Amino acid sequence: MNKKLFFLIVMLAFYSQVMAQGFRVYKDGVVIGTYNVEKFDSISFFLKTEYSAIDLGLPSGTLWADRNVGAPEIWDDGWYVSWGETKEKAEFGMPTYQLCVFNDYENFYYTKYTVQDGLTSLKPEDDVATVEMGTEWCIPTQSDWEELMTYCTWQWATSHPGEKDGYAIIGPNGHGLFLPAAGRKDGSDYSWGNNMGCYWTKDRGPLLSGKEIYAYELYFGNDFKTITNTNRDCGITVRGIIRK
């Protein structure tokens, strides 16, 4: 039977069953959800991003992902997230930051990674690389980024066919990856795309007026790269690692 015709028949059978009743979702033969179709107006299917771990020959043995979290291709920017959040969103800033209770810019406080709880590094449940990519993955620390800068060759380049600017990074063993200059998001504004890159670390930054406003990031352009701090609530990109 023609494959397209077979697929159409299967989808029509599925559609007729759904319209008549509803549908159940199974995992390992166990029902994990039962849904009435009246609750939905559409259903879409998507391909989950597949990440590859690249061995660059670093002294630590750390493996780096071939692409950003949420990026369908190695040159794509991927997701923009606030530090400690694990989902994309449209608006960034203190009023929308999940780890902040915000009344106004003079009256706000953070609910996690504070002086009170003593947490200075993201827990797995707040690490978007762990949540999205799998439990073996995590966001790099400052030390991980510093190792990448120390032992690898960084060359500003343009990806093809993506036509994105960023760094081609070559490790001691000759293996490499591409780190796009993905810019950042503040409020609903997008800045610095294709000119500068901003990538989260796992590490909370220094205090400002006694408040835990900052987290550390890798920040780079075509003639510099450094670890600095930035507001936790802004939206920037993430590259995952597997630590050996």
Side-chain angles (χ1 to χ4, degrees):
M1 181 183 293
N2 181 281
K3 289 184 178 179
K4 291 184 177 179
L5 178 58
F6 175 76
F7 178 76
L8 179 60
I9 293 171
V10 170
M11 291 306 295
L12 286 172
F14 171 77
Y15 179 77
S16 65
Q17 289 297 315
V18 168
M19 291 307 294
Q21 303 174 38
F23 63 95
R24 297 186 180 93
V25 178
Y26 293 81
K27 182 177 181 181
D28 299 327
V30 178
V31 176
I32 60 173
T34 300
Y35 304 94
N36 187 317
V37 295
E38 293 179 356
K39 294 183 178 180
F40 305 94
D41 56 22
S42 64
I43 299 173
S44 63
F45 296 87
F46 62 93
L47 294 175
K48 184 174 175 63
T49 300
E50 295 294 334
Y51 303 94
S52 296
I54 299 177
D55 181 0
L56 297 168
L58 297 169
S60 67
T62 298
L63 307 180
W64 285 76
D66 66 331
R67 66 197 65 202
N68 289 350
V69 171
E73 302 290 348
I74 62 172
W75 54 78
D76 289 326
D77 297 337
W79 291 0
Y80 292 81
V81 297
S82 294
W83 189 80
E85 293 187 359
T86 59
K87 297 294 181 184
E88 295 181 284
K89 60 186 181 184
E91 189 84 15
F92 293 88
M94 281 189 194
T96 64
Y97 185 39
Q98 294 176 5
L99 302 181
C100 179
V101 174
F102 179 85
N103 296 301
D104 56 50
Y105 286 99
E106 300 297 326
N107 184 17
F108 65 90
Y109 64 90
Y110 296 100
T111 58
K112 197 171 183 181
Y113 304 102
T114 66
V115 172
Q116 287 72 29
D117 63 30
L119 297 175
T120 59
S121 182
L122 289 174
K123 307 289 281 184
E125 64 268 22
D126 302 316
D127 185 320
V128 66
T130 305
V131 172
E132 166 62 16
M133 300 173 70
T135 56
E136 72 273 30
W137 295 92
C138 66
I139 295 175
T141 64
Q142 297 177 75
S143 297
D144 293 319
W145 283 114
E146 287 165 354
E147 181 184 48
L148 198 70
M149 290 189 284
T150 299
Y151 290 97
C152 296
T153 300
W154 292 53
Q155 178 65 49
W156 193 259
T158 300
S159 69
H160 296 282
E163 297 297 330
K164 294 287 186 70
D165 290 342
Y167 274 110
I169 301 172
I170 307 300
N173 63 3
H175 297 167
L177 54 83
F178 182 70
L179 202 64
R184 64 184 287 149
K185 292 186 177 181
D186 292 290
S188 58
D189 296 329
Y190 173 57
S191 306
W192 302 347
N194 251 27
N195 292 308
M196 297 180 185
C198 304
Y199 285 80
W200 285 126
T201 76
K202 287 178 68 74
D203 307 316
R204 195 194 77 199
L207 299 180
L208 177 65
S209 302
K211 294 189 176 182
E212 309 86 351
I213 290 175
Y214 296 131
Y216 285 106
E217 64 169 344
L218 170 72
Y219 173 51
F220 65 74
N222 66 359
D223 58 355
F224 73 93
K225 50 187 180 294
T226 187
I227 301 293
T228 186
N229 55 67
T230 193
N231 287 21
R232 290 165 50 167
D233 54 72
C234 74
I236 65 179
T237 48
V238 174
R239 181 64 62 103
I241 63 168
I242 296 176
R243 189 174 290 108
K244 294 296 186 179

